[in-house]
Amino acid sequence: MAISKDYYATLGVSMGASQDAVKRAYRQLAKKHHPDSNQNDPKAADRFKEISEAYQVLGDVEKRKHYDEMRRLGAYDVGGAAGPRSRGPQPGGAAPGGGAPGSFKFEDFDVGGLGGLGDLFGSIFNQQRSGGTKAPQAGQSVETTLEVPFAVAITGGKVPVDLELTEECGTCTGSGSAPGTRPTTCRECGGLGTVNFGQGGFAVSRPCPACLGRGSVPSKPCAACAGAGEVRARKKLLITVPAGADAGTKVRLKGQGGKGSNGGPAGDVVITFHISEDPAWAREGLDLVRRVPINVAQATLGSKASVSTIDGKTISLRIPPGTASGKRFRIAKQGIHKGDKLGDLIAEIAIEVPAPVTAEQEKLMKQFAEAAGLAY
């Protein structure tokens, strides 16, 4: 069955639009095309109905998810383009539920008390139709977040990550049967691996719930996976973090996810970087900011201070007399190196006041304040 309506085009939004953007687009169009505001336009009611229908699907997170999945699977048909094979009505015939030819409504698929759209199509979206044969299936792909230390994000390095994956059982190679035993034909599907649900002129095939699409059931379940054919596995990877990595940077590791079954390829691993904060450092574009503490005497009389770089070197910085707290000094080419660009290191002065002071120190401070004409 094919979907002949592009709800994204109806609302004038992209597939990547947020739910808020979808809602804003709907409100604007509904206000513009509401029949009460367009009493002289006979087409306004139909247009308003199309807008409302589109929002009923895209405005609901779960319905939108199913709609997108059906488009991805090729069930999207504009101008008569063929979608996936279907036993349902063809163009020109009656649509499920009595709608117009080619129309698409999620409620049309609540067939024979079998549950809603998610129940009916969930396994189709997440599993391949087996047809009684074991088709190659890609392994599990995993997305995870990696906490990267600030210094590693700046200079580059390697960070380990632990993953938990679902993989084909190595003991039974995914059959679910104990080694040395033979599976028996599934009575529910007769070995096809699929069962059909239908009503009227359309039918839907889904993986058999009894054998999980295998077409057979274990005569004796595999002890390693309890007959499931899958096991949970842990995997440790060493992730290369490029110099100057930003928060939100994504790295895709092809073939590092779960192992495929029946000769299928392994899944991928997608890593999103999260950069840890460091109290000693701040980042401003390609520049690094380092807090440099000095005392009152150094700020007043001038001095030299040591500034550490991100890679552990020490640079001597001259502090001129009368330097105020918050004053910044730029040290060239000691910042973030990214591609062919290199930032600077910014030393930000922070004057630290000793406390408490002794009686002798207090006396001398007062003398200094009086000589400088400072109020205290």
Side-chain angles (χ1 to χ4, degrees), residues 163-167 231-235:
L163 302 173
E164 189 171 355
L165 307 166
T166 298
E167 296 185 336
V231 293
R232 298 294 287 173
R234 298 194 67 85
K235 188 172 186 178

Side-chain angles (χ1 to χ4, degrees), residues 108-277:
D108 290 339
F109 301 112
D110 192 359
V111 180
L114 296 176
L117 181 70
D119 293 334
L120 186 61
F121 290 106
S123 60
I124 294 177
F125 292 154
N126 297 315
Q127 300 184 45
Q128 295 184 5
R129 180 175 177 176
S130 68
T133 62
K134 291 187 176 182
Q137 291 186 344
Q140 180 191 16
S141 290
V142 178
E143 291 194 32
T144 188
T145 301
L146 178 63
E147 192 77 19
V148 180
F150 185 89
V152 176
I154 302 304
T155 61
K158 295 184 181 294
V159 179
V161 61
D162 288 314
L163 302 173
E164 189 171 355
L165 307 166
T166 298
E167 296 185 336
E168 181 182 82
C169 176
T171 302
C172 65
T173 63
S175 70
S177 298
T181 65
R182 285 182 171 272
T184 59
T185 301
C186 176
R187 295 182 179 179
E188 183 72 21
C189 64
L192 293 176
T194 59
V195 290
N196 295 324
F197 297 91
Q199 177 174 324
F202 109 102
V204 173
S205 178
R206 64 182 296 184
C208 174
C211 64
L212 303 179
R214 298 191 191 107
S216 61
V217 294
S219 56
K220 180 181 179 182
C222 170
C225 63
E230 297 178 335
V231 293
R232 298 294 287 173
R234 298 194 67 85
K235 188 172 186 178
K236 189 168 186 176
L237 299 175
L238 202 57
I239 308 302
T240 299
V241 180
D246 297 302
T249 296
K250 289 183 180 290
V251 175
R252 178 178 290 273
L253 305 176
K254 297 284 292 183
Q256 292 297 318
K259 296 177 182 177
S261 59
N262 306 320
D268 300 339
V269 174
V270 179
I271 306 288
T272 301
F273 292 160
H274 180 270
I275 311 302
S276 302
E277 294 184 359

Side-chain angles (χ1 to χ4, degrees), residues 289-295 298-299 305 307 317-320 323-329 346-352:
V289 181
R290 174 86 180 191
R291 181 177 177 273
V292 180
I294 63 173
N295 58 46
Q298 288 176 299
V307 182
L317 177 66
R318 180 180 174 275
I319 308 296
T323 295
S325 189
K327 174 71 175 178
R328 287 185 164 194
F329 298 91
I346 299 173
E348 186 173 273
I349 300 301
I351 300 176
E352 296 184 341

